[in-house]
Amino acid sequence: MVAQDVNLLTADHDRHNLDIIDKARVAGRINDETAEYLVRLYTDGMRSYREVFHVLGKCFGAPKTAVTEYDPATDSSVNKPIKIADINPLSSYLVNHRLDADPMRNQFFTSGASHKIDLSVSSIVTVIVAAQKNIERALDKVTGKYYRFFIEDVIAALSSVMAESVSKKDFDEIEQRIRARFDSKYVTDAAKEVLSVLGQGDDALVVKIVRELDNVKKPYLYLNDVWRVKCLFDLIPQARTFIERLNIMMPERVLTVRDKFYDIGNPRNYRDSKVIINIGTPDYVIPMEIICQVRTFFEFERKTHDYYALIREDPNMENAKIEKELAEFMENGIREYNLMICRCLDDLFDRVGWNILYSRGGDVALFEGFPRECKLYYPASMMETILNKLDAAVKNEIFHITNSSSKLDLTQQIAIFRFMARFILVSALPRARAGTNIPGKDLATRLFNFVMNEVYRYYKK
C-alpha cells in the first residue's frame, strides 16, 4: 500500500512538472527543442529513480547501514530510518556502502592497548542521493547561467572563424548585434540566428560558420543534475577506484568523466570528480550526475553554501571578493585533508620498510600494487621528474632511514622513499597557495612537503 502511495505521489508530481514545462514553452521562456528535452528528464520519475538504485546497487551492493532521510538545508542526515518502499524522487536520503575494491583497505590503522585496532581510513562510502531537481530551478539554469555559457561559446566560435576575414572593429559591431539578438529571445539554433544577423556572405565562410556553430553545446544539454548523487570517500584513490569500476562495469552508460582533484586553476579552489552516466537508453539519454568528493573537503565545502546563495541571487554581482574568500576557505580544507595524508604516511613508513626487508629474497612484496596504478594521476613525465629528484635527495642523505632493525642499502632506501612518494602523489591534494607547508620536522612531514613543493613548482613554472 505504501509503495502504491509513493507511486501515486510521484506520478502527480510528474504531471505538475510537465505542466510547468509546457507553460514555459507557451510563454516563450524556452523553445520546443528545450521543452522536449526537459519532458524527457521529468517524465516517469519513479522509473528514473529505480535506475539510480540499480546503478548504486550494482557498484556497491547492499547498504551497510540503515537508510536515513537527508536534509539538504543543513547538509546532514536526519535520525529517522526509512524503508526502501518509502523512498521517492521528492526527498533526499543518505546511506553507507562499502567499496569492496578499495585499494587502501586495512593499510591505515593504529594499534592501541589490548590489541585494539582503530582504523584511520575506512572503506565505507557515504552516498547522498538527492531529490529530483526542482523544475523551476532547472528552468532558471537553462535560461540563465547555461544560456550565458551558450552565448559566450557562440561568440568564441564565430570569432575563431571570422578572425582573418574581418577587422576587430567590425567584429565588435557584429558581436553586439548577435548578443542583442540572443538576449531578445531564447534560441538554440545558433547558426540560423547568427546567419540572419550577418546576412548574405561568402559561401565558403558560411559553411565554416555553420560547421563551427553546430558544435556549440546547447544550453539545455548542460542540465545533467536533475538526477544526482554525491559519494564521500576518505581518500582520493578510493574515489578513483570507484570511477574506474563504473567504467569497467557499465562502459556503455558512462557519458563523461571530469576529474578535478588536482585542479589548482579553479578560482574557487574547488576539488572533486564528476561522472555523468546515462540512466535512460542509448536512444533516449537521461543523464545522472555522480559527484565524488573526499570527506574532509566536504565538511568545508558544505559551509560555503551561503556564498553560492549570494551569487545565485545576483549572477551579475561583483563576486571577485567572494570567490577569493571561497578560495582561501577551501585552502583550509585542502590543508586539513593533507594533514590526514601526512599522518597516514607516517603510519605506513615502518610497515613498508619492514615489508621490503621481509621480501629481500625477491618474493612478491606485500604492498605490490598499492597504491593501485590509475589513468587519472598526474602526467607520467612530472611524476618521473619528482621521483628522480627524490632519488638524488636520498643519495645525498637528505632523506635517510636511521631506525631500521638492520642496515638498508641505497637501493632499499630509494625503494622505500619512492613508494611513499607515489602514495603522496596519488593521495594528496595539490595546493593553490605558496607557503602552506605542513609544520613538523619528522621524516614523514619533510617528505610530504618535499613532494608537494615539487608539484607546486611544476604547475607554477
Side-chain angles (χ1 to χ4, degrees), residues 58 84 183 222 286 304 342 354 413 457:
K58 194 171 182 180
I84 297 295
D183 286 341
Y222 283 98
I286 299 175
T304 65
C342 200
W354 274 108
Q413 294 259 3
R457 185 175 291 113

Side-chain angles (χ1 to χ4, degrees), residues 63-305:
K64 301 306 174 188
T65 58
V67 181
T68 63
E69 291 184 11
Y70 186 79
D71 182 6
T74 60
D75 265 323
S76 58
S77 63
V78 178
N79 189 21
K80 180 184 175 184
I82 55 177
K83 297 177 182 178
I84 297 295
D86 295 334
I87 296 175
N88 64 79
L90 280 65
S91 59
S92 305
Y93 74 89
L94 179 149
V95 63
N96 291 301
H97 290 274
R98 187 177 67 206
L99 183 65
D100 290 332
D102 179 12
M104 304 297 178
R105 182 187 295 177
N106 299 330
Q107 299 294 350
F108 306 108
F109 58 84
T110 53
S111 299
S114 302
H115 305 288
K116 182 180 179 182
I117 300 297
D118 294 320
L119 292 179
S120 304
V121 172
S122 85
S123 300
I124 296 299
V125 183
T126 300
V127 180
I128 303 169
V129 181
Q132 181 189 56
K133 193 179 194 71
N134 178 277
I135 182 59
E136 289 289 6
R137 181 81 186 280
L139 283 167
D140 287 343
K141 283 199 167 187
V142 168
T143 59
K145 177 182 178 181
Y146 298 155
Y147 192 61
R148 290 194 298 274
F149 290 168
F150 174 64
I151 294 174
E152 294 308 318
D153 289 345
V154 167
I155 297 299
L158 189 63
S159 175
S160 68
V161 174
M162 301 186 69
E164 297 180 1
S165 58
V166 299
S167 67
K168 184 180 183 307
K169 181 179 179 182
D170 288 342
F171 184 80
D172 288 345
E173 189 269 334
I174 291 171
E175 179 182 339
Q176 289 179 12
R177 288 162 53 203
I178 290 173
R179 287 186 183 277
R181 170 68 67 90
F182 279 64
D183 286 341
S184 67
K185 59 180 180 177
Y186 177 91
V187 297
T188 53
D189 191 338
K192 177 183 176 181
E193 297 298 326
V194 167
L195 291 178
S196 69
V197 169
L198 295 177
Q200 295 295 322
D202 177 68
D203 287 347
L205 181 61
V206 168
V207 170
K208 289 181 180 178
I209 289 173
V210 171
R211 185 182 298 123
E212 195 70 25
L213 293 181
D214 282 348
N215 289 326
V216 173
K217 187 174 183 177
K218 299 191 177 186
Y220 59 82
L221 292 177
Y222 283 98
L223 189 65
N224 293 317
D225 60 349
V226 169
W227 305 102
R228 56 208 190 277
V229 170
K230 178 170 281 190
C231 297
L232 303 180
F233 303 83
D234 280 353
L235 300 177
I236 290 173
Q238 295 171 326
R240 287 178 166 157
T241 295
F242 168 68
I243 293 170
E244 289 186 337
R245 193 173 190 183
L246 277 174
N247 277 305
I248 293 169
M249 296 181 74
M250 48 190 76
E252 74 287 349
R253 285 183 178 263
V254 177
L255 300 175
T256 61
V257 176
R258 186 209 67 179
D259 189 320
K260 296 291 184 180
F261 283 122
Y262 293 162
D263 183 13
I264 64 173
N266 187 305
R268 297 177 186 174
N269 213 1
Y270 187 80
R271 313 293 180 87
D272 69 6
S273 193
K274 185 181 294 184
V275 184
I276 308 298
I277 69 168
N278 179 19
I279 57 173
T281 66
D283 299 324
Y284 202 73
V285 174
I286 299 175
M288 179 179 87
E289 178 184 83
I290 303 177
I291 294 177
C292 300
Q293 201 170 55
V294 290
R295 210 179 303 274
T296 305
F297 197 74
F298 172 72
E299 292 302 319
F300 280 79
E301 184 261 336
R302 64 191 290 194
K303 299 173 185 176
T304 65
H305 290 188

Side-chain angles (χ1 to χ4, degrees), residues 373 377-393 395 414 418 421-422 425-426 450-451 454-455 458 461:
E373 291 296 330
Y377 294 160
Y378 292 110
S381 58
M382 187 202 81
M383 294 185 73
E384 196 57 37
T385 297
I386 292 175
L387 292 176
N388 287 337
K389 286 186 177 182
L390 178 61
D391 290 352
K395 290 173 183 176
I414 288 176
R418 274 193 164 231
R422 283 198 304 273
L425 286 166
V426 302
F450 173 87
V451 172
E454 290 298 325
V455 172
Y458 176 85
K461 66 182 177 182

